[in-house]
Amino acid sequence: MCLGIPGQVVEITDAASMMGMVDVSGVRRAVNLACVAGDGPLEEVIGHWVLVHVGFAMSRIDPEEAAATLKALEDLGEAMAEIEAIRGADRMMEGETP
Amino acid sequence: MKYTDEFRDPIKAKSLLAAIETQVAHTGATTDKPLHIMEICGGHTHAIFRYGLDKLTPDAIEFIHGPGCPVCVLPMSRVDDCLDIAERPNVIFTTFGDAMRVPGTRGSLIQAKARGADIRMVYSPLDALELARRHPDKEVVFFGLGFETTMPSTALTLQQAARESRTNFSLFCNHILVPPPIKALLDDPDMALDGFVGPGHVSMVIGTAPYDFIARDYGKPLVVAGFEPLDLLQAVLMVVTQIAEGRAEIENQYARIVPKDGNPAALAAIADVYTPRDAFDWRGLGEIDKSGVKIRPAYAAFDAEEKFGVGYGAGKTSGREMALPEMEGCLCGEVVKGKLKPWACPKFGAECTPDTPLGALMVSSEGACAAYHLYADTLTV
Ligand code: SF4
């Protein structure tokens, strides 16, 4: 539960709530960016790779680190479950068990 | 048996293993008197079994699996409280998937769901808040559990709920902290630990200073590590090198993710929303001082304990008043402490399997019992 997964910030959707869209292995998800925001405007994080943990970007990572982390998660058998949870988040909210 | 071929960089793995062997020899440890190194984090436990690191490293190192799997240490009384809240009319109870199968005295959340309670798995606490927006006529409760890694996510979600003045959203807070149980284990005269591999993602939030007491007051080394197998091997090398050289320091193998001071925005959110409880009850470890957090009075409107009068919110001041005996014959407590290996439990693999877990250690893939069970092929010594 504590591993998270890397993703790339693609756009800011609601700066007041610190929310942006992050691409995680091709799946898009609204993610809170409060923990990776700098002092400047939030737009500055667009394009950056971040470690996404239960819908929150927790750390900035460089692209090589992101690739290595994703590979490690795949090897551990954790990546698919995480991506499926993100992809299925909406259906799960409506009560479906994946 | 596992081989280093599976590693991303087998040559590096082999050279790390050789260096570990050399340093272990310098410590004077032997198969009969091994070094006891505790990996605190359940993610590390999982990776150690996945890659058979316990088999690849010298026999003079014994890994002791620490209490760092949040669902494994969740007391039965808290699971019962979840069911109590979830089974009330008009409640939508939301939780991470990991927690669905943890047994309480009246069964697990998944069983309560089958009986008709509106229990939904969510990916994020933000999704629970979204459900509260979509269902203004329902009480939406999020089951907040986890260590310092997940605390910022629930804290930021409560801050958002407060900004929106939501009145139908609350958090059942079961967050716990990593350093207090480590202190409790170091104070336990039955435990002889020589060093620690520290959690990576908890440390990404809190930094490395909260571990300083381990080196300063107890003279034991701790190395914060990433979760890749090479990270773990390197961290083990750093721990045994410290022991061989007679040093005890807090070192950071995972500096590419873990800043020394942690994440300031995450720490600010945690400090704003949470305050330590006097004590919190841990499955298998009992009550530990200042080991959990509760929601500050400023956010009391979002505190499910207050709103539904359960747990400490039911006027109970101590976890001891809530402690429930474990199931007959289960040795979860001894396994959580690292005193016994899972296979020493008479229920292991017989009545207790990942499909029919009796204890929480069999539920999560980060639990020591589930990890042993899952990778049992690596255990044929
Ligand atoms: S095998 Fe089951 S009952 Fe025994 S210690 Fe592990 S989780 Fe507990």
Side-chain angles (χ1 to χ4, degrees), chain A residues 1-3 29 34-35 51 53-56 58 61 65 72 75-76 78 86 89-90 92-95, chain B residues 46 50-51 70 96 98 113 120-121 123-124 127 130 134 150 153 157 201 204 228 256-257 263 366:
Chain A
M1 127 193 272
C2 294
L3 296 184
R29 155 89 208 188
C35 295
L51 194 61
H53 181 254
V54 299
F56 291 75
M58 293 305 301
I61 48 182
E65 172 69 18
D75 290 348
L76 275 173
E78 300 278 333
I86 294 173
D90 251 327
M92 289 201 309
M93 276 163 70
E94 291 314 323
Chain B
H46 180 120
R50 167 68 181 79
Y51 290 97
F96 292 135
D98 311 41
K113 183 178 167 76
R120 304 187 192 186
M121 270 167 62
Y123 162 69
S124 166
D127 294 350
E130 174 59 21
R134 289 187 198 171
T150 42
S153 66
T157 303
H201 290 160
M204 151 183 94
E228 292 187 53
R256 61 189 198 273
I257 295 287
N263 184 311
E366 296 180 3

Side-chain angles (χ1 to χ4, degrees), chain A residues 2-88:
Chain A
C2 294
L3 296 184
I5 193 160
Q8 191 175 24
V9 182
V10 289
E11 67 173 300
I12 304 303
T13 48
D14 178 358
S17 308
M18 305 293 251
M19 295 298 290
M21 208 46 96
V22 173
D23 184 305
V24 178
S25 292
V27 182
R28 287 191 168 209
R29 155 89 208 188
V31 161
N32 181 298
L33 301 169
C35 295
V36 294
D39 296 332
L42 193 55
E43 273 69 22
E44 183 259 326
V45 295
I46 294 176
H48 278 280
W49 285 86
V50 292
L51 194 61
V52 179
H53 181 254
V54 299
F56 291 75
M58 293 305 301
S59 176
R60 292 192 193 201
I61 48 182
D62 61 41
E64 294 89 75
E65 172 69 18
T69 303
L70 197 58
K71 174 76 173 61
L73 288 167
E74 280 165 9
D75 290 348
L76 275 173
E78 300 278 333
M80 254 351 262
E82 195 74 15
I83 294 166
E84 282 311 313
I86 294 173
R87 194 198 307 275

